[in-house]
Amino acid sequence: KDWNPGLENGDLTLQQVLDSLPANPPEDISKIVRLFENPESPIALKGAVTLERHDAIHAILGRGLLPQDEAFVIGFTMGTAKDIKKWEEFLFKKVSMYIYPKIYRFTRRHLKAYDLGVEFGKQSGADRIFEFPFENHMKTKISELRNLLGVDVHELRAIFKKEQEILPNTRCSKRLDC
């Protein structure tokens, strides 16, 4: 929970950042979560992504592993689909609040970060980031990947500032790299 790559990691390769991540093996992720978030699931939601690519998106966005971070990362990933519908956002919110196992469940506060992530994903230069082959770019510097993907650090800092205003005094907001 203390892992947080921040935005000052542009000179590191994706592999270097991911090597510092205390990740769980894929089989540790709840089957219910995988049902909605794994792209191989027959009922996967828009923006579903493999765990490895999800971790890479954390590194690109400079976000840690707290629930508020997870909500933002998932929202951003879904938002980069650009054509995500309101009902899809609504469904994710309900599933993540009431169906996910308690350890993965989001609160209304976490979902404010999710909404900001969706908003940022839609307006960012990133397009369908969940389809990007991060596995082919492990030796690429994070700054180069951000440029390639259309993820602007100045825009990230602005959305993080907005998140701090909406969710003041949370552990996550206090460590956002604004």
Side-chain angles (χ1 to χ4, degrees):
K1 298 289 182 191
D2 291 329
W3 183 81
N4 185 34
L7 295 175
E8 299 300 323
N9 59 2
D11 60 330
L12 299 175
T13 66
L14 178 58
Q15 186 67 63
Q16 288 173 308
V17 175
L18 292 179
D19 283 347
S20 72
L21 172 70
N24 291 336
E27 57 273 7
D28 284 359
I29 306 299
S30 161
K31 289 179 182 177
I32 294 172
V33 171
R34 284 187 276 151
L35 193 61
F36 292 98
E37 296 184 31
N38 184 319
E40 305 218 352
S41 169
I43 63 168
L45 296 172
K46 191 165 284 182
V49 64
T50 65
L51 182 58
E52 295 79 10
R53 289 180 181 181
H54 174 79
D55 290 346
I57 296 167
H58 273 273
I60 298 301
L61 297 177
R63 296 301 295 242
L65 301 174
L66 295 172
Q68 186 176 322
D69 291 311
E70 288 291 347
F72 183 88
V73 169
I74 293 168
F76 175 81
T77 304
M78 293 175 82
T80 65
K82 308 297 186 195
D83 62 345
I84 187 169
K85 307 286 189 268
K86 286 291 180 193
W87 70 264
E88 292 168 303
E89 293 176 45
F90 175 81
L91 178 60
F92 175 77
K93 289 177 180 182
K94 294 305 176 193
V95 165
S96 69
M97 284 180 68
Y98 302 112
I99 296 176
Y100 278 8
K102 190 171 185 172
I103 191 170
Y104 296 101
R105 235 174 250 166
F106 290 140
T107 65
R108 292 192 195 293
R109 290 177 60 92
H110 299 143
L111 292 175
K112 290 179 181 183
Y114 166 82
D115 287 336
L116 286 172
V118 171
E119 173 189 328
F120 182 61
K122 286 179 180 179
Q123 63 93 25
S124 77
D127 188 32
R128 303 181 72 79
I129 198 168
F130 48 91
E131 293 177 349
F132 185 79
F134 287 103
E135 57 277 4
N136 298 336
H137 295 272
M138 299 307 280
K139 294 183 180 179
T140 305
K141 289 187 177 190
I142 295 291
S143 59
E144 294 173 35
L145 282 170
R146 286 180 179 135
N147 287 335
L148 180 66
L149 293 164
V151 176
D152 184 277
V153 172
H154 300 293
E155 291 174 357
L156 266 173
R157 290 185 197 284
I159 202 85
F160 290 174
K161 184 78 171 150
K162 188 174 181 181
E163 185 174 345
Q164 283 180 326
E165 292 166 4
I166 292 171
L167 296 167
N169 303 318
T170 68
R171 182 174 167 203
C172 185
S173 290
K174 288 178 182 178
R175 72 179 193 186
L176 285 175
D177 201 353
C178 305

